[in-house]
Amino acid sequence: MPLPDTMFCAQQIDIPPAFPDILKQFTKAAIRTQPHDVLQWSAAYFTALYKGNTLPVKDRLEMPVATQKTDTGLTPGLLKILHKQLSPNIYVNENEVNQKWKELGIPIQNLERILELGNIVPKVDFEWMKFLALACSSLSENLLAAMTYACEILTNDPPGGAAYIEFSIFKYLYSYLAKIEGIPENEIEAVILSLEDDVIRQDGLIQPRNFMQIVK
């Protein structure tokens, strides 16, 4: 007695025309992103594809971060994915960040340390941009490096470009991180004032080259 639904020839298998292209794009995305947990990331990828959400995919292949304070498993490329996924909302909650964090295979203990650094209370919504600043700091050995990462993540310039961002955003993130670092208010204001002339000449934009010699 033959088994039900037995396939006797390849012609009986109907493959949608778009299927090979979907697999090709998935393979390219996996190679660029290099997920820690391929199965978990794949589930997140196809769920986002089905729902029309932002895919958990890096813009390009990146090297590990050698200068970060601890081996967090977090990289600028992964942080940029999180920013694309979560930044449409000004405020987010711990559960939302936690879910995306797990999908990218980043150790959850490091998320907890970032939340603790920002005194973020569980079950209370918090500003995504402040969390982004804290995460950039966790990748960096100093405030200059943190702000450079922030520019590279937030810029609309192509990868490897000048990494311009709006000065108002720079001022907000820099002031927030500088206060956490314990820098006096008058020193923070002095840095901001010293940058304003360059910003005026650049239509309200700033890039890392503008603050390399000023932010410490």
Side-chain angles (χ1 to χ4, degrees), residues 46 50 68 108 121 132 144 149 151 191-192 206 209 213 215:
F46 284 111
Y50 173 73
Q68 63 192 62
I108 202 67
V121 180
L132 176 69
L144 170 61
Y149 279 134
C151 287
V191 168
I192 291 170
I206 190 170
R209 185 174 62 82
Q213 302 303 319
V215 175

Side-chain angles (χ1 to χ4, degrees), residues 2-21:
L3 294 173
D5 299 323
T6 301
M7 295 293 183
F8 295 99
C9 63
Q11 285 74 16
Q12 291 177 268
I13 304 174
D14 183 23
I15 299 177
F19 189 59
D21 186 60

Side-chain angles (χ1 to χ4, degrees), residues 38-58:
V38 176
L39 290 179
Q40 184 170 260
W41 176 84
S42 299
Y45 177 92
F46 284 111
T47 298
L49 185 66
Y50 173 73
K51 293 183 177 180
N53 296 335
T54 301
L55 297 175
V57 179
K58 291 181 182 178

Side-chain angles (χ1 to χ4, degrees), residues 67-78:
T67 58
Q68 63 192 62
K69 295 173 182 175
T70 56
D71 183 15
T72 64
L74 183 64
T75 67
L78 292 174

Side-chain angles (χ1 to χ4, degrees), residues 27-92:
T27 303
K28 289 181 179 179
I31 292 172
R32 284 205 308 276
T33 307
Q34 298 285 304
H36 295 284
D37 187 327
V38 176
L39 290 179
Q40 184 170 260
W41 176 84
S42 299
Y45 177 92
F46 284 111
T47 298
L49 185 66
Y50 173 73
K51 293 183 177 180
N53 296 335
T54 301
L55 297 175
V57 179
K58 291 181 182 178
D59 293 336
R60 58 178 177 171
L61 187 65
E62 63 177 347
M63 299 298 291
V65 178
T67 58
Q68 63 192 62
K69 295 173 182 175
T70 56
D71 183 15
T72 64
L74 183 64
T75 67
L78 292 174
L79 189 50
K80 190 163 189 173
I81 292 174
L82 290 168
H83 179 67
K84 289 179 179 178
Q85 292 176 323
L86 296 168
S87 64
N89 297 318
I90 297 175
Y91 290 90
V92 295

